[in-house]
Amino acid sequence: MTERIREAIVIITIAVIFVDKMLCLIFNSVTFISDLLKPLILFAIFRNLREASVNLLIVFWKSKNMIILLIIYYSLFGWITERMFLGTAQANNQFFPDRETSIWTMMTVFGGANLIIRILPSYSANRFSGILFYIFNIIGIVFFMNVVIAIMYHMYLAQVNERINNFKKTVETMLTDA
């Protein structure tokens, strides 16, 4: 991206943010446009951030099968917990009332955030839920996280090596032309 195009993107983005903020002050409303455009300014200004983001998007795209497998894993255990607590007091609380919330709850349990807060009320409703949560975490941490991190690292390393090789080829062609 040339310097002029980047400057034009930054100026247009700043102008849109300014207009959005003025409209919010005039009409006393909430702003959304400027909050969405702030990252665009960062991407337009910082080349390293832009290149790293593109690399990560390429890595995510190449490892989409692993991401789909993780989604299936969360969905399966979310469905199991929804069925396990159906008709109990646990199903009426904020953690397992429906399938979507059960899946989000299992994602937070997997991340370790508020694990005890979700396990203890579930354990009082069904004694097997503690075993289920621990099986879920053991399979997820031991198997999925190791595999996902290894695949993501391998893909990212391949992407970086490809960029280095392209840079070396460009330098060699420039030196032979000079």
Side-chain angles (χ1 to χ4, degrees):
M1 185 181 308
T2 64
E3 187 69 26
R4 296 193 117 173
I5 294 173
R6 189 174 64 194
E7 288 175 1
I9 290 172
V10 170
I11 290 171
I12 290 170
T13 308
I14 291 172
V16 169
I17 290 172
F18 179 75
V19 169
D20 185 45
K21 292 292 184 185
M22 288 296 115
L23 290 174
C24 288
L25 289 174
I26 292 171
F27 295 114
N28 198 17
S29 65
V30 179
T31 177
F32 292 110
I33 297 173
S34 63
D35 293 337
L36 295 174
L37 292 177
K38 288 176 185 175
L40 289 178
I41 292 176
L42 285 175
F43 287 117
I45 293 174
F46 299 111
R47 184 184 68 170
N48 291 338
L49 179 66
R50 195 170 50 242
E51 290 174 357
S53 300
V54 168
N55 282 342
L56 283 176
L57 286 175
I58 291 170
V59 166
F60 285 144
W61 180 253
K62 287 182 178 178
S63 59
K64 63 184 171 278
N65 294 334
M66 249 349 263
I67 294 171
I68 291 171
L69 188 62
L70 278 175
I71 291 170
I72 291 170
Y73 177 69
Y74 290 134
S75 300
L76 173 70
F77 276 93
W79 177 77
I80 290 171
T81 54
E82 179 198 13
R83 292 288 140 208
M84 180 182 283
F85 299 119
L86 191 64
T88 64
Q90 187 67 15
N92 295 330
N93 73 1
Q94 62 183 348
F95 299 134
F96 301 103
D98 56 0
R99 186 165 298 143
E100 181 181 346
T101 309
S102 296
I103 291 170
W104 284 110
T105 301
M106 295 310 284
M107 289 177 87
T108 58
V109 165
F110 184 70
N114 301 325
L115 177 65
I116 302 300
I117 293 172
R118 281 147 173 86
I119 287 178
L120 287 179
S122 305
Y123 186 72
S124 65
N126 189 342
R127 299 288 183 198
F128 292 112
S129 66
I131 297 170
L132 175 79
F133 285 123
Y134 288 118
I135 289 172
F136 172 75
N137 277 328
I138 288 171
I139 292 171
I141 292 170
V142 172
F143 177 69
F144 281 114
M145 280 299 102
N146 286 333
V147 170
V148 167
I149 289 172
I151 288 174
M152 295 282 187
Y153 177 74
H154 177 72
M155 297 277 185
Y156 187 77
L157 194 61
Q159 186 71 23
V160 168
N161 287 336
E162 181 181 327
R163 291 190 63 209
I164 289 172
N165 290 336
N166 288 340
F167 178 74
K168 286 180 180 177
K169 288 178 185 176
T170 304
V171 167
E172 287 175 8
T173 56
M174 293 174 95
L175 288 176
T176 55
D177 289 345

